[in-house]
Amino acid sequence: MTVLLNTFYTAGRTALDLVYPPCCVLCRVRISDDRLVLCDDCGSGLLSIDAPYCERCGHPLDAPVASCPACPGRTFYFDGAFAGFQFNRPLQDLIHQLKYRNRPGIGRFLGSLLAKRVEREPGIPHITAVVPVPLHSLRNRERGYNQSAYIARGISGETGIPVLENVLARNRNTPTQTSLNPEARMANVEGVFEVVRAEAVRGATVSLVDDIFTTGATINSCARVLLRAGAERVFALAVARA
C-alpha cells in the first residue's frame, strides 16, 4: 500500500509540475527541485555570518579578541546565540513571503540552511530539542501558521533534533517589535511568555528558534521562563541577524 501511495504521489507531483513547474520564489526562474525555493543565482545572495562573532549574543565582531558592542549592560538568559545570515535584501524578501504571503515551505528551507550552517558550532550537538518562539493565538489564526515552527521543523529535518511545539505560549498579543527601540522591545515582551508543558523541558538543553534576531529581547524573555520551568540550558538560533 505504501509503495502504491508513493507511486500515486510521484505521478501527481510530476503532473502538477508540468502545469505549475517549480520556480524560484524571488526571480521566478524555473528550478528543477521542488524541495528548493531559490535558484542558484538568488541563493548566492544569501550572505552568511562568519566568525568572528560574539559567542554570547551572536553579534559580528571585527576581530576575534574584540569586545562585543551589544553585550554591555544586558542580561541574557540564554547561554549563546547564533544567527546564520545577514539580513540583506534577498533574505528580507524571503522572510516577508514566509510571514505574509502564505509560504510556510520557505520556513523549512531556511531552517535547513540554518542547520547546515551551525551543525559544527559549539553546543549544537548537545541540544536535545528545538523550541519555536510562539505567536499569540490571534496572530497565528490570522497567518495560519507560526513561521518559527516551520524553521524549527527544517532544523529538525536536517539534524534529527525533535521540535517541541506547544511548550511555550504567548499570553498577550503585543504590538510588533519592528519600530521599537531596544528598551521598548524589552518592555514590550516582558512577562508575555509562559511555559505550558514544563515536563517537556525539565532538565533539557534546548534551542529557541526565531526568524530574526535584532536585540534578542523576544528570545531572552522566552529563555527566562524556560529556565524557570526547569530547562538546564537554553541557546538561541535565528535565520538572520538584523
Side-chain angles (χ1 to χ4, degrees), residues 55-187:
E55 293 186 1
R56 190 75 178 90
C57 76
H59 192 281
L61 301 176
D62 294 329
V65 296
S67 59
C68 178
C71 282
R74 300 288 308 278
T75 298
F76 292 123
Y77 296 97
F78 47 82
D79 287 88
F82 179 83
F85 301 93
Q86 300 174 31
F87 194 47
N88 61 2
R89 181 57 185 271
L91 193 51
Q92 288 182 48
D93 290 344
L94 279 178
I95 291 178
H96 182 84
Q97 289 196 45
L98 166 62
K99 296 171 72 171
Y100 306 115
R101 293 291 183 267
N102 193 29
R103 298 297 300 265
I106 292 175
R108 284 186 183 273
F109 174 74
L110 292 175
S112 174
L113 292 185
L114 178 59
K116 291 173 182 176
R117 285 280 297 114
V118 302
E119 59 185 359
R120 292 183 297 273
E121 292 296 316
I124 297 302
H126 309 294
I127 290 171
T128 56
V130 288
V131 178
V133 171
L135 292 177
H136 188 268
S137 57
L138 290 177
R139 190 166 298 174
N140 196 88
R141 284 198 294 271
E142 290 172 357
R143 185 168 297 164
Y145 55 88
N146 177 6
Q147 75 278 357
S148 295
Y150 276 87
I151 295 169
R153 293 171 195 172
I155 293 171
S156 179
E158 285 289 331
T159 64
I161 299 172
V163 180
L164 296 182
E165 298 187 47
N166 305 315
V167 165
L168 275 176
R170 188 186 291 249
N171 54 38
R172 292 204 314 271
N173 191 17
T174 54
T176 179
Q177 300 271 76
T178 305
S179 61
L180 303 179
N181 62 35
E183 292 76 17
R185 284 173 180 261
M186 288 185 285

Side-chain angles (χ1 to χ4, degrees), residues 14-83:
T14 301
L16 188 61
D17 285 348
L18 291 174
V19 180
Y20 301 106
C23 296
C24 173
V25 299
L26 295 183
C27 72
R28 308 307 299 170
V29 70
R30 287 188 61 174
I31 53 180
S32 59
D33 190 342
D34 64 1
R35 293 170 299 180
L36 303 178
V37 301
L38 292 180
C39 67
D40 290 342
D41 285 345
C42 290
S44 67
L46 302 182
L47 304 179
S48 61
I49 296 176
D50 298 314
Y53 52 82
C54 176
E55 293 186 1
R56 190 75 178 90
C57 76
H59 192 281
L61 301 176
D62 294 329
V65 296
S67 59
C68 178
C71 282
R74 300 288 308 278
T75 298
F76 292 123
Y77 296 97
F78 47 82
D79 287 88
F82 179 83

